[in-house]
Amino acid sequence: MSVTESTGLRERNKRERRRRLEDVAIDLFERDGFDKTTIEQISAAAGLAPRTFFSYFVSKDDLVLGDYAERLGRILEALERQPITMPAWDALRASFAVVASDYATEVDRLIRRFRIMSATPSVYARSLQLQAGWEHTLAAHLAARLDAGPDDPRPRLLAATALAVMRASLQHWLTTGQTQPLPTLVQAAFDQLGRGLDQDP
Amino acid sequence: MSVTESTGLRERNKRERRRRLEDVAIDLFERDGFDKTTIEQISAAAGLAPRTFFSYFVSKDDLVLGDYAERLGRILEALERQPITMPAWDALRASFAVVASDYATEVDRLIRRFRIMSATPSVYARSLQLQAGWEHTLAAHLAARLDAGPDDPRPRLLAATALAVMRASLQHWLTTGQTQPLPTLVQAAFDQLGRGLDQDP
DNA sequence: TGCAAAAATGCAGTCAATGCAATTATGTTC
DNA sequence: GAACATAATTGCATTGACTGCATTTTTGCA
């Protein structure tokens, strides 16, 4: 108990402040725009010194992306859980379903961030960069799963396609005002690509 | 003639200097790394004042990407040329074939840039950002071609997938040492997605 | 309470990028 | 070929993100 509490307190404070920074930053970004908000303003609003900001976030961009990284990491976990006998595309479909429903639970939070992301090139670029990182590791996992050699194009193709599907669905979901549930959209897109793009929808 | 020559001179000088900046920059990036090379060094090496650099390139990143934007623009032109009766995925396949062979003609130049791009997060991010821009316009074109409404997910899905295919193929081509021709790889990937990812290769 | 580790902070500095004003080069016109 | 309008180059000052380093404060534990 003492151990949990002791290390827990530091950790908790750290998480709280990180969260606070995110929150005030998002508010300011929405009010004044990303570029017109300075690190100085953000840290002041969070009650911290400017220098301290950088021990919580490596860059201003990362304020908006927050747990983006963590969330995509769950795809890999989910992928690991799929039986090895399952065809690769099916396994991907199942894994992405998990993340899709995760997303759907936090619509409001997500939408605010997405708005800022779409309006701010540097942030958008950073999000794509993160995605590219996962595409890479996802491809590595798939290569293992498919027992594919380094000159087998399939892992890369599958990873790239799956993330493209996710991104396109997410964007569609957000721009159409969430008329259809995200998981449904994602599944439909995976199905379409499973059947083949030569086929009519 | 006089007109062509007159305006031509200014334009030509401008293009030459732009080119010179690119070239010296690539050399320096390869030698010292992107981040350790300053705008000051680049402009000095090109015989220009630092301030002048920014009338040729909006950012340091763009030095590496060069004609990236222009090249992707050809996809759209090619797409316009495909008969409207051709199924969308076939039209995309044909359009991307054009760009794929374009790439293949400039392997050396391309590879140097790709190395820097892969090694430099900010540059890579910027390239993805450019691609995202094209994905957007490509989707718009496809929407017109398919006569699709704003809540039809197909244009976005097709655009995202096609660019994913291109990116994955390009990466595969470069990392496998160009053992197979790029157009072949791209066609194979398009075919695979046409047949459907549920099918075995 | 006292101590060691961790976190916060201040300060100085680098570098990309921008705005503005002044200067220089270029192409055209007479 | 000289004067002139325009475009390009340049210098200067400034902003703001980000980093390294040294110092101070806070925190959890003995």
Side-chain angles (χ1 to χ4, degrees):
Chain A
M1 187 186 91
S2 66
V3 177
T4 329
E5 242 178 31
S6 62
T7 62
L9 181 55
R10 262 206 178 116
E11 298 273 311
R12 185 159 19 108
N13 283 339
K14 191 129 187 157
R15 241 177 299 142
E16 263 171 29
R17 291 197 175 176
R18 191 184 155 92
R19 177 69 179 231
R20 183 145 39 101
L21 274 169
E22 273 189 32
D23 290 346
V24 296
I26 298 291
D27 286 345
L28 288 172
F29 291 160
E30 282 181 340
R31 208 191 59 188
D32 303 334
F34 183 87
D35 291 324
K36 295 198 175 169
T37 307
T38 67
I39 303 274
E40 202 181 340
Q41 293 171 333
I42 297 167
S43 22
L48 291 173
R51 186 64 185 84
T52 313
F53 171 87
F54 290 101
S55 63
Y56 283 93
F57 294 91
V58 288
S59 80
K60 195 177 158 189
D61 291 332
D62 285 343
L63 273 170
V64 187
L65 301 172
D67 46 356
Y68 208 81
E70 183 201 346
R71 185 165 291 151
L72 277 178
R74 285 186 225 162
I75 296 176
L76 292 182
E77 291 172 24
L79 187 62
E80 299 281 10
R81 282 198 300 272
Q82 307 306 320
I84 194 76
T85 54
M86 189 184 279
W89 190 244
D90 288 338
L92 283 170
R93 173 175 15 217
S95 308
F96 275 71
V98 177
V99 184
S101 38
D102 271 6
Y103 271 127
T105 60
E106 282 189 289
V107 197
D108 298 336
R109 185 180 167 81
L110 209 66
I111 288 188
R112 298 178 71 194
R113 278 148 209 267
F114 247 84
R115 286 235 178 79
I116 298 167
M117 214 176 87
S118 311
T120 317
S122 74
V123 180
Y124 190 52
R126 172 85 181 125
S127 82
L128 292 172
Q129 192 192 333
L130 289 174
Q131 257 181 58
W134 284 332
E135 188 173 312
H136 193 75
T137 52
L138 186 55
H141 276 245
L142 287 168
R145 169 177 266 268
L146 292 168
D147 194 28
D151 51 346
D152 189 333
R154 289 177 300 158
R156 244 191 273 268
L157 185 61
L158 286 167
T161 312
L163 278 167
V165 163
M166 185 71 198
R167 197 163 2 102
S169 304
L170 195 53
Q171 219 160 74
H172 187 258
W173 182 61
L174 288 166
T175 55
T176 54
Q178 304 94 51
T179 41
Q180 288 185 78
L182 179 60
T184 308
L185 287 170
V186 172
Q187 291 305 306
F190 266 93
D191 288 345
Q192 171 78 59
L193 285 176
R195 281 197 306 277
L197 288 169
D198 288 339
Q199 315 303 320
D200 278 339
Chain B
M1 187 185 91
S2 67
V3 177
T4 330
E5 242 178 31
S6 62
T7 62
L9 182 56
R10 259 200 182 123
E11 299 274 310
R12 186 160 16 109
N13 282 340
K14 193 129 185 152
R15 241 177 300 143
E16 263 172 30
R17 290 194 175 179
R18 192 184 155 92
R19 177 69 181 233
R20 183 146 39 102
L21 274 170
E22 274 188 27
D23 290 345
V24 296
I26 298 291
D27 286 346
L28 288 172
F29 291 160
E30 283 181 339
R31 208 191 58 188
D32 304 332
F34 184 87
D35 292 324
K36 294 199 175 167
T37 308
T38 67
I39 303 274
E40 201 181 340
Q41 293 171 332
I42 297 167
S43 22
L48 292 173
R51 187 62 184 86
T52 312
F53 171 87
F54 290 101
S55 63
Y56 284 93
F57 294 91
V58 288
S59 81
K60 195 178 159 191
D61 292 331
D62 285 341
L63 273 170
V64 187
L65 301 172
D67 45 357
Y68 207 81
E70 182 201 348
R71 186 165 291 150
L72 278 179
R74 287 187 223 162
I75 297 176
L76 291 182
E77 291 172 24
L79 186 62
E80 299 282 10
R81 282 198 300 272
Q82 307 306 320
I84 194 77
T85 53
M86 190 183 278
W89 190 246
D90 288 337
L92 282 170
R93 176 179 8 222
S95 307
F96 276 70
V98 177
V99 184
S101 36
D102 272 6
Y103 271 126
T105 60
E106 282 189 289
V107 196
D108 298 336
R109 185 179 167 82
L110 208 66
I111 288 188
R112 298 179 70 194
R113 278 147 209 268
F114 247 84
R115 286 234 178 81
I116 298 166
M117 214 177 88
S118 311
T120 318
S122 73
V123 180
Y124 190 52
R126 172 87 180 124
S127 82
L128 292 172
Q129 191 191 333
L130 289 174
Q131 257 181 61
W134 292 98
E135 189 174 313
H136 193 74
T137 52
L138 185 56
H141 277 246
L142 286 168
R145 171 177 263 268
L146 292 169
D147 194 29
D151 51 345
D152 189 334
R154 289 177 301 158
R156 243 190 273 266
L157 185 61
L158 286 166
T161 311
L163 278 166
V165 163
M166 185 72 199
R167 197 161 4 102
S169 303
L170 196 52
Q171 218 159 72
H172 187 258
W173 182 61
L174 288 166
T175 54
T176 54
Q178 303 93 51
T179 40
Q180 287 187 75
L182 179 60
T184 308
L185 287 170
V186 173
Q187 292 305 306
F190 266 92
D191 288 346
Q192 170 77 59
L193 284 174
R195 280 197 307 279
L197 288 168
D198 287 339
Q199 314 303 319
D200 278 338

